[in-house]
Amino acid sequence: MPAFLTDDWFSTVETLTAQAGDLNLPPALSGLAINLVVADASGNTELALDGGAIKKGLSSNAKTTLNMDAETLRKVFLEFDMAAAMQAFMTGKIKVQGDMSQLMALQTAKPSQEQKDLFKKVLEQTTA
């Protein structure tokens, strides 16, 4: 299992996403792109949640960028822990640049079962 946010991890995510096929996303998620910048001891890792999938690098479609640490990213985006998301936001562990309405769309949209299944597989293939 590849370590979280390494090149091997992104390759695994890309393979699992391709195998998942249509994620059957609600419109609020299918057109949404958010850039994520994850800071850690070795620097920043850039990725995007674009069309319901995790992609390496920043998306040119994104109007919002979230800055956070890797543990927060894992809890919020892979484990769908919305309580952790709210707590991280309120304590400054998530910093927002850009269009806040994108976050509201993300918060209110329900992920499809296909997206949940994909992210569960990603989490199962991820080491700390």
Side-chain angles (χ1 to χ4, degrees):
M1 288 191 290
F4 191 41
L5 300 177
T6 62
D7 287 340
D8 287 344
W9 183 83
F10 280 108
S11 293
T12 299
V13 169
E14 190 174 319
T15 299
L16 290 171
T17 301
Q19 291 171 352
D22 183 7
L23 295 178
N24 194 28
L25 296 170
L29 285 179
S30 64
L32 185 65
I34 295 179
N35 285 328
L36 305 160
V37 177
V38 180
D40 61 27
S42 61
N44 289 342
T45 302
E46 296 177 335
L47 62 150
L49 181 65
D50 194 350
I54 297 168
K55 299 180 181 177
K56 186 176 182 178
L58 300 178
S59 170
S60 60
N61 299 325
K63 295 180 179 127
T64 307
T65 300
L66 302 179
N67 296 274
M68 67 189 73
D69 61 53
E71 182 59 28
T72 302
L73 176 72
R74 183 184 184 118
K75 283 183 178 175
V76 173
F77 287 94
L78 293 183
E79 298 174 16
F80 294 109
D81 186 341
M82 290 303 113
M86 189 58 70
Q87 182 178 10
F89 181 74
M90 298 304 251
T91 59
K93 288 180 88 175
I94 296 177
K95 293 182 176 54
V96 182
Q97 297 172 305
D99 185 355
M100 287 287 285
S101 69
Q102 299 268 301
L103 288 185
M104 298 306 141
L106 186 62
Q107 183 181 5
T108 58
K110 300 286 185 222
S112 66
Q113 189 59 51
E114 292 87 347
Q115 186 184 32
K116 286 181 186 178
D117 292 346
L118 169 61
F119 282 29
K120 182 179 180 200
K121 287 177 185 170
V122 169
L123 192 58
E124 288 169 353
Q125 295 296 315
T126 302
T127 60

